[in-house]
Amino acid sequence: MTAELTIHQYSAGELPDGSTIDRWVFGAAGGVTAEVLSLGARLQSLHAPDRDGRRANVLLGGSSVAELLDGAAYFGATVGRYGNRIAGGLLPLDGTVHRLAAQQNGHTLHGGPDGFATRLWTGEAVTEDGRVGVRLTLHSPDGDQGFPGALDVTVSYLLDQHGELTISYGATTDAPTVVNLTNHAYFNLGGEGSGLILDHLLRVEADAYLPVDPTLIPLGAPEPVRGTVFDLTTVAGLGGRLSAADPQLWLAGDGFDHNWVLRPGEGLRQAATLHHPASGRRLDCLTTEPGLQVYTGNHFDGSLIGPGGSRYRAYAGIALETQHFPDSPHFPDYPSTVLRPGERYESTTVYRISVE
């Protein structure tokens, strides 16, 4: 008999201003369960059984509200208004250059220093079509972090009996702007704090990727992955790839922090498969997006402590961020991220957990 899907809401603490952070826990007992916080519309944990039925949280996370506002701000969060980087913090749009709030190397990363990951979203429990979860909303005013146009954003997390978590994004604007939303969960299929992801196997459905400069801004046109360490068209062990002598890996801190150009197609399609042979856990990532940023946690330095008490060091987890391309406002040949009044931004990503 299949366990019933349930959802429960709790308090997860307070922000410095006294605002309450809501927490929803949902899924099927003994199967896959998810935890979402209103702070950053954040996927805080994802518990899943291994091939022997032993459950573990397969996401890295912050151990306190203070960490979620600082070093772990992106962990599992909905990042925006523009996920990834915009070079120089400058947004050219319809003949006007908008100066954005910037951080790393003078670039705007994940929507700026006070992006969506640090905001308190409004959420409500949802049960529909054999799935259960939460729908969260946020209003981003005109000029927020320098971005033009007032933006109304919705993100929903819905989980079914089979361990399939669907993340759906929507947004509308009252003036031309750019939108590129993604989730920034870090996965370790061996379990949070269990070790490094070097023993994981990865496949990405992409024949090209975007090489980057020393500040991780794309150089320009996509390049073929064939014959490079970025060729993940067949399953490859991460340990072997990340130890390769490749200048692009060195630029990213001895690992991946690059956008793969997914094979074109309509609707929801396979983007990547991550497998942990020791536990049997497998993660399939499907998306409607044209790109996938793979980041292998190269810059974790042990300063962050996870909920299980482990210090996160390089390669403690891997992010599979479905997205439009980094810095696309400066590259007209990239898929456009412009949203105009009367249009609706929509994006869907599925993380499906199973065992083999």
Side-chain angles (χ1 to χ4, degrees), residues 78-128:
T78 299
V79 294
R81 170 177 317 195
Y82 196 99
N84 218 303
R85 296 165 177 85
I86 296 179
L90 300 175
L91 170 62
L93 181 61
D94 295 343
T96 299
V97 177
H98 302 268
R99 184 169 294 278
L100 309 177
Q103 57 271 70
Q104 291 184 358
N105 300 306
H107 306 317
T108 298
L109 175 67
H110 295 327
D114 184 24
F116 293 175
T118 65
R119 307 293 174 83
L120 196 62
W121 296 55
T122 300
E124 62 177 358
V126 177
T127 301
E128 62 181 38

Short mmCIF file of all heavy atoms in Angstrom, two decimals, residues 78-128:
data_model
loop_
_atom_site.label_atom_id
_atom_site.label_comp_id
_atom_site.label_asym_id
_atom_site.label_seq_id
_atom_site.Cartn_x
_atom_site.Cartn_y
_atom_site.Cartn_z
N THR A 78 15.42 29.96 -4.26
CA THR A 78 15.02 30.48 -5.56
C THR A 78 15.82 31.75 -5.78
O THR A 78 15.67 32.73 -5.05
CB THR A 78 13.51 30.80 -5.57
OG1 THR A 78 12.77 29.60 -5.33
CG2 THR A 78 13.09 31.40 -6.89
N VAL A 79 16.72 31.74 -6.77
CA VAL A 79 17.57 32.90 -6.99
C VAL A 79 17.06 33.71 -8.17
O VAL A 79 16.60 33.17 -9.17
CB VAL A 79 19.05 32.51 -7.17
CG1 VAL A 79 19.62 31.91 -5.90
CG2 VAL A 79 19.24 31.56 -8.33
N GLY A 80 17.14 35.03 -8.04
CA GLY A 80 16.66 35.94 -9.06
C GLY A 80 16.81 37.37 -8.55
O GLY A 80 17.30 37.58 -7.44
N ARG A 81 16.42 38.34 -9.29
CA ARG A 81 15.62 38.26 -10.50
C ARG A 81 16.38 37.65 -11.66
O ARG A 81 15.75 37.20 -12.63
CB ARG A 81 15.14 39.70 -10.78
CG ARG A 81 14.51 40.04 -12.00
CD ARG A 81 14.01 41.47 -12.14
NE ARG A 81 13.33 42.09 -11.02
CZ ARG A 81 12.61 43.19 -11.14
NH1 ARG A 81 12.47 43.75 -12.33
NH2 ARG A 81 12.05 43.73 -10.08
N TYR A 82 17.70 37.60 -11.59
CA TYR A 82 18.47 37.00 -12.68
C TYR A 82 19.49 36.03 -12.09
O TYR A 82 20.50 36.44 -11.53
CB TYR A 82 19.20 38.08 -13.50
CG TYR A 82 19.69 37.57 -14.84
CD1 TYR A 82 18.97 37.81 -15.99
CD2 TYR A 82 20.86 36.82 -14.93
CE1 TYR A 82 19.40 37.32 -17.22
CE2 TYR A 82 21.30 36.32 -16.14
CZ TYR A 82 20.57 36.58 -17.29
OH TYR A 82 20.99 36.08 -18.49
N GLY A 83 19.21 34.72 -12.22
CA GLY A 83 20.17 33.72 -11.78
C GLY A 83 21.44 33.79 -12.61
O GLY A 83 21.39 34.08 -13.80
N ASN A 84 22.56 33.52 -11.97
CA ASN A 84 23.88 33.59 -12.57
C ASN A 84 24.32 35.05 -12.71
O ASN A 84 23.86 35.90 -11.97
CB ASN A 84 23.96 32.83 -13.90
CG ASN A 84 25.30 32.12 -14.06
OD1 ASN A 84 26.35 32.73 -14.02
ND2 ASN A 84 25.25 30.81 -14.23
N ARG A 85 25.22 35.35 -13.67
CA ARG A 85 25.94 36.62 -13.68
C ARG A 85 25.49 37.56 -14.80
O ARG A 85 25.18 37.11 -15.91
CB ARG A 85 27.45 36.37 -13.80
CG ARG A 85 28.03 35.63 -12.61
CD ARG A 85 29.40 35.07 -12.89
NE ARG A 85 29.95 34.41 -11.70
CZ ARG A 85 29.71 33.16 -11.34
NH1 ARG A 85 28.91 32.40 -12.10
NH2 ARG A 85 30.22 32.65 -10.25
N ILE A 86 25.54 38.86 -14.49
CA ILE A 86 25.43 39.91 -15.50
C ILE A 86 26.69 40.76 -15.37
O ILE A 86 26.96 41.33 -14.31
CB ILE A 86 24.16 40.76 -15.31
CG1 ILE A 86 22.91 39.89 -15.53
CG2 ILE A 86 24.17 41.94 -16.28
CD1 ILE A 86 21.61 40.64 -15.35
N ALA A 87 27.47 40.83 -16.44
CA ALA A 87 28.80 41.43 -16.40
C ALA A 87 28.76 42.91 -16.05
O ALA A 87 27.95 43.69 -16.60
CB ALA A 87 29.50 41.23 -17.74
N GLY A 88 29.64 43.29 -15.13
CA GLY A 88 29.81 44.69 -14.77
C GLY A 88 28.63 45.31 -14.08
O GLY A 88 28.62 46.53 -13.84
N GLY A 89 27.61 44.49 -13.75
CA GLY A 89 26.41 45.06 -13.14
C GLY A 89 25.68 46.01 -14.06
O GLY A 89 24.96 46.89 -13.60
N LEU A 90 25.83 45.82 -15.37
CA LEU A 90 25.23 46.72 -16.35
C LEU A 90 24.24 45.93 -17.21
O LEU A 90 24.60 44.92 -17.83
CB LEU A 90 26.30 47.34 -17.24
CG LEU A 90 27.35 48.20 -16.52
CD1 LEU A 90 28.43 48.66 -17.49
CD2 LEU A 90 26.69 49.38 -15.81
N LEU A 91 23.00 46.41 -17.25
CA LEU A 91 21.93 45.75 -17.99
C LEU A 91 21.48 46.63 -19.16
O LEU A 91 20.76 47.61 -18.96
CB LEU A 91 20.74 45.46 -17.07
CG LEU A 91 19.45 44.98 -17.74
CD1 LEU A 91 19.67 43.65 -18.47
CD2 LEU A 91 18.33 44.87 -16.73
N PRO A 92 21.90 46.29 -20.39
CA PRO A 92 21.40 47.03 -21.55
C PRO A 92 20.03 46.50 -21.95
O PRO A 92 19.84 45.29 -22.13
CB PRO A 92 22.45 46.73 -22.62
CG PRO A 92 23.02 45.39 -22.25
CD PRO A 92 22.92 45.28 -20.75
N LEU A 93 19.07 47.41 -22.09
CA LEU A 93 17.71 47.00 -22.44
C LEU A 93 17.00 48.13 -23.16
O LEU A 93 16.85 49.23 -22.62
CB LEU A 93 16.93 46.61 -21.17
CG LEU A 93 15.50 46.13 -21.34
CD1 LEU A 93 15.43 44.86 -22.19
CD2 LEU A 93 14.83 45.89 -19.99
N ASP A 94 16.60 47.88 -24.40
CA ASP A 94 15.85 48.85 -25.20
C ASP A 94 16.55 50.21 -25.27
O ASP A 94 15.91 51.27 -25.16
CB ASP A 94 14.44 49.01 -24.65
CG ASP A 94 13.61 47.75 -24.77
OD1 ASP A 94 13.99 46.85 -25.55
OD2 ASP A 94 12.57 47.65 -24.07
N GLY A 95 17.87 50.20 -25.45
CA GLY A 95 18.60 51.43 -25.62
C GLY A 95 19.01 52.14 -24.36
O GLY A 95 19.70 53.17 -24.40
N THR A 96 18.63 51.60 -23.19
CA THR A 96 19.02 52.17 -21.90
C THR A 96 19.87 51.16 -21.15
O THR A 96 19.57 49.97 -21.16
CB THR A 96 17.78 52.52 -21.06
OG1 THR A 96 17.00 53.49 -21.76
CG2 THR A 96 18.17 53.06 -19.69
N VAL A 97 20.94 51.64 -20.49
CA VAL A 97 21.77 50.78 -19.66
C VAL A 97 21.42 51.01 -18.21
O VAL A 97 21.56 52.13 -17.69
CB VAL A 97 23.27 51.03 -19.91
CG1 VAL A 97 24.10 50.16 -18.97
CG2 VAL A 97 23.63 50.74 -21.36
N HIS A 98 20.93 49.99 -17.54
CA HIS A 98 20.55 50.07 -16.13
C HIS A 98 21.72 49.58 -15.28
O HIS A 98 22.27 48.52 -15.54
CB HIS A 98 19.31 49.23 -15.86
CG HIS A 98 18.12 49.61 -16.68
ND1 HIS A 98 17.18 50.52 -16.24
CD2 HIS A 98 17.73 49.21 -17.92
CE1 HIS A 98 16.24 50.67 -17.17
NE2 HIS A 98 16.55 49.88 -18.20
N ARG A 99 22.06 50.35 -14.27
CA ARG A 99 23.14 49.96 -13.37
C ARG A 99 22.55 49.14 -12.22
O ARG A 99 21.71 49.63 -11.46
CB ARG A 99 23.88 51.18 -12.83
CG ARG A 99 25.09 50.81 -11.95
CD ARG A 99 25.95 52.02 -11.65
NE ARG A 99 26.59 52.53 -12.85
CZ ARG A 99 27.71 52.04 -13.38
NH1 ARG A 99 28.30 50.97 -12.82
NH2 ARG A 99 28.23 52.58 -14.45
N LEU A 100 23.00 47.90 -12.10
CA LEU A 100 22.48 46.98 -11.10
C LEU A 100 23.37 46.94 -9.87
O LEU A 100 24.56 47.28 -9.93
CB LEU A 100 22.39 45.57 -11.69
CG LEU A 100 21.67 45.43 -13.05
CD1 LEU A 100 21.74 43.98 -13.52
CD2 LEU A 100 20.23 45.91 -12.95
N ALA A 101 22.81 46.50 -8.76
CA ALA A 101 23.62 46.22 -7.57
C ALA A 101 24.56 45.07 -7.91
O ALA A 101 24.16 44.10 -8.55
CB ALA A 101 22.73 45.87 -6.39
N ALA A 102 25.81 45.18 -7.51
CA ALA A 102 26.82 44.19 -7.91
C ALA A 102 27.55 43.67 -6.70
O ALA A 102 27.52 44.25 -5.61
CB ALA A 102 27.80 44.81 -8.92
N GLN A 103 28.24 42.53 -6.91
CA GLN A 103 29.09 41.98 -5.87
C GLN A 103 30.36 41.40 -6.46
O GLN A 103 31.29 42.17 -6.74
CB GLN A 103 28.32 41.00 -4.96
CG GLN A 103 27.63 39.81 -5.56
CD GLN A 103 26.23 39.99 -6.01
OE1 GLN A 103 26.01 40.67 -6.99
NE2 GLN A 103 25.27 39.32 -5.35
N GLN A 104 30.46 40.12 -6.71
CA GLN A 104 31.71 39.49 -7.12
C GLN A 104 32.31 40.11 -8.38
O GLN A 104 31.66 40.17 -9.42
CB GLN A 104 31.48 38.00 -7.37
CG GLN A 104 31.17 37.20 -6.13
CD GLN A 104 31.04 35.72 -6.44
OE1 GLN A 104 31.13 35.30 -7.58
NE2 GLN A 104 30.80 34.93 -5.41
N ASN A 105 33.55 40.58 -8.27
CA ASN A 105 34.29 41.12 -9.41
C ASN A 105 33.54 42.24 -10.12
O ASN A 105 33.77 42.50 -11.31
CB ASN A 105 34.60 40.01 -10.42
CG ASN A 105 35.45 38.90 -9.83
OD1 ASN A 105 36.51 39.16 -9.28
ND2 ASN A 105 34.98 37.67 -9.93
N GLY A 106 32.66 42.91 -9.40
CA GLY A 106 31.89 43.98 -10.00
C GLY A 106 30.71 43.51 -10.82
O GLY A 106 30.00 44.32 -11.42
N HIS A 107 30.47 42.20 -10.87
CA HIS A 107 29.34 41.64 -11.61
C HIS A 107 28.13 41.49 -10.68
O HIS A 107 28.27 41.43 -9.45
CB HIS A 107 29.70 40.28 -12.19
CG HIS A 107 30.93 40.28 -13.04
ND1 HIS A 107 31.21 41.26 -13.96
CD2 HIS A 107 31.98 39.40 -13.10
CE1 HIS A 107 32.36 41.00 -14.55
NE2 HIS A 107 32.85 39.88 -14.05
N THR A 108 26.96 41.41 -11.28
CA THR A 108 25.75 41.10 -10.52
C THR A 108 25.53 39.59 -10.55
O THR A 108 25.42 39.00 -11.62
CB THR A 108 24.53 41.82 -11.12
OG1 THR A 108 24.74 43.23 -11.04
CG2 THR A 108 23.26 41.47 -10.35
N LEU A 109 25.49 38.98 -9.38
CA LEU A 109 25.34 37.53 -9.27
C LEU A 109 24.02 37.20 -8.60
O LEU A 109 23.69 37.72 -7.54
CB LEU A 109 26.50 36.95 -8.44
CG LEU A 109 26.42 35.45 -8.13
CD1 LEU A 109 26.57 34.63 -9.41
CD2 LEU A 109 27.49 35.06 -7.12
N HIS A 110 23.23 36.34 -9.25
CA HIS A 110 21.98 35.83 -8.68
C HIS A 110 21.04 36.94 -8.22
O HIS A 110 20.40 36.85 -7.17
CB HIS A 110 22.27 34.86 -7.54
CG HIS A 110 22.98 33.61 -7.96
ND1 HIS A 110 22.78 33.03 -9.19
CD2 HIS A 110 23.89 32.84 -7.32
CE1 HIS A 110 23.53 31.95 -9.29
NE2 HIS A 110 24.22 31.81 -8.18
N GLY A 111 21.00 38.02 -9.01
CA GLY A 111 20.03 39.09 -8.72
C GLY A 111 20.54 40.18 -7.84
O GLY A 111 19.80 41.12 -7.53
N GLY A 112 21.80 40.11 -7.39
CA GLY A 112 22.36 41.16 -6.55
C GLY A 112 22.51 40.74 -5.11
O GLY A 112 22.04 39.67 -4.70
N PRO A 113 23.17 41.58 -4.30
CA PRO A 113 23.45 41.20 -2.90
C PRO A 113 22.20 41.01 -2.06
O PRO A 113 22.23 40.30 -1.06
CB PRO A 113 24.30 42.36 -2.38
CG PRO A 113 24.05 43.50 -3.33
CD PRO A 113 23.77 42.88 -4.65
N ASP A 114 21.09 41.63 -2.45
CA ASP A 114 19.82 41.44 -1.74
C ASP A 114 18.79 40.89 -2.72
O ASP A 114 17.73 41.47 -2.92
CB ASP A 114 19.34 42.77 -1.13
CG ASP A 114 18.08 42.61 -0.29
OD1 ASP A 114 17.83 41.50 0.20
OD2 ASP A 114 17.34 43.60 -0.15
N GLY A 115 19.13 39.76 -3.32
CA GLY A 115 18.25 39.14 -4.29
C GLY A 115 17.14 38.33 -3.64
O GLY A 115 16.93 38.36 -2.42
N PHE A 116 16.45 37.56 -4.45
CA PHE A 116 15.28 36.83 -3.99
C PHE A 116 15.61 35.79 -2.92
O PHE A 116 14.74 35.39 -2.14
CB PHE A 116 14.59 36.14 -5.16
CG PHE A 116 13.95 37.09 -6.15
CD1 PHE A 116 13.39 36.60 -7.32
CD2 PHE A 116 13.92 38.46 -5.92
CE1 PHE A 116 12.79 37.44 -8.24
CE2 PHE A 116 13.34 39.32 -6.83
CZ PHE A 116 12.76 38.81 -8.00
N ALA A 117 16.86 35.32 -2.88
CA ALA A 117 17.24 34.30 -1.90
C ALA A 117 17.16 34.80 -0.47
O ALA A 117 17.05 34.00 0.46
CB ALA A 117 18.66 33.81 -2.19
N THR A 118 17.24 36.11 -0.26
CA THR A 118 17.21 36.68 1.09
C THR A 118 15.83 37.21 1.48
O THR A 118 15.67 37.72 2.59
CB THR A 118 18.23 37.83 1.21
OG1 THR A 118 17.83 38.91 0.35
CG2 THR A 118 19.62 37.35 0.84
N ARG A 119 14.85 37.09 0.59
CA ARG A 119 13.52 37.67 0.83
C ARG A 119 12.60 36.67 1.53
O ARG A 119 12.73 35.47 1.37
CB ARG A 119 12.88 38.11 -0.49
CG ARG A 119 13.74 39.03 -1.34
CD ARG A 119 13.97 40.40 -0.71
NE ARG A 119 14.92 41.16 -1.51
CZ ARG A 119 14.60 41.85 -2.60
NH1 ARG A 119 13.34 41.88 -3.03
NH2 ARG A 119 15.52 42.51 -3.26
N LEU A 120 11.65 37.23 2.24
CA LEU A 120 10.62 36.42 2.88
C LEU A 120 9.42 36.36 1.95
O LEU A 120 8.76 37.37 1.70
CB LEU A 120 10.23 37.03 4.23
CG LEU A 120 9.46 36.11 5.19
CD1 LEU A 120 10.32 34.91 5.57
CD2 LEU A 120 9.05 36.88 6.44
N TRP A 121 9.18 35.18 1.39
CA TRP A 121 8.07 34.97 0.46
C TRP A 121 6.81 34.61 1.24
O TRP A 121 6.86 34.19 2.40
CB TRP A 121 8.40 33.83 -0.50
CG TRP A 121 9.57 34.08 -1.42
CD1 TRP A 121 10.84 34.42 -1.07
CD2 TRP A 121 9.57 33.96 -2.85
NE1 TRP A 121 11.64 34.53 -2.18
CE2 TRP A 121 10.88 34.25 -3.29
CE3 TRP A 121 8.59 33.63 -3.79
CZ2 TRP A 121 11.24 34.23 -4.64
CZ3 TRP A 121 8.95 33.59 -5.14
CH2 TRP A 121 10.25 33.91 -5.55
N THR A 122 5.67 34.77 0.59
CA THR A 122 4.38 34.37 1.15
C THR A 122 3.97 33.03 0.55
O THR A 122 3.99 32.87 -0.68
CB THR A 122 3.29 35.42 0.85
OG1 THR A 122 3.68 36.67 1.42
CG2 THR A 122 1.96 34.99 1.44
N GLY A 123 3.62 32.05 1.41
CA GLY A 123 3.34 30.72 0.90
C GLY A 123 2.04 30.14 1.40
O GLY A 123 1.48 30.58 2.41
N GLU A 124 1.55 29.15 0.66
CA GLU A 124 0.35 28.41 1.07
C GLU A 124 0.47 26.97 0.60
O GLU A 124 1.07 26.68 -0.45
CB GLU A 124 -0.91 29.05 0.48
CG GLU A 124 -0.94 29.06 -1.05
CD GLU A 124 -2.23 29.63 -1.59
OE1 GLU A 124 -3.10 29.99 -0.79
OE2 GLU A 124 -2.38 29.70 -2.84
N ALA A 125 -0.08 26.06 1.39
CA ALA A 125 -0.06 24.65 1.04
C ALA A 125 -0.96 24.40 -0.17
O ALA A 125 -2.00 25.04 -0.34
CB ALA A 125 -0.52 23.81 2.23
N VAL A 126 -0.54 23.44 -1.00
CA VAL A 126 -1.27 23.10 -2.22
C VAL A 126 -1.37 21.59 -2.33
O VAL A 126 -0.40 20.87 -2.10
CB VAL A 126 -0.56 23.65 -3.46
CG1 VAL A 126 -1.30 23.24 -4.73
CG2 VAL A 126 -0.43 25.17 -3.40
N THR A 127 -2.57 21.10 -2.69
CA THR A 127 -2.77 19.69 -3.01
C THR A 127 -3.52 19.62 -4.32
O THR A 127 -4.62 20.17 -4.44
CB THR A 127 -3.57 18.97 -1.92
OG1 THR A 127 -2.87 19.07 -0.67
CG2 THR A 127 -3.75 17.50 -2.26
N GLU A 128 -2.90 18.98 -5.34
CA GLU A 128 -3.55 18.92 -6.65
C GLU A 128 -2.96 17.80 -7.49
O GLU A 128 -1.77 17.51 -7.42
CB GLU A 128 -3.41 20.25 -7.40
CG GLU A 128 -1.99 20.65 -7.70
CD GLU A 128 -1.87 21.99 -8.41
OE1 GLU A 128 -2.65 22.90 -8.09
OE2 GLU A 128 -0.99 22.12 -9.29
#
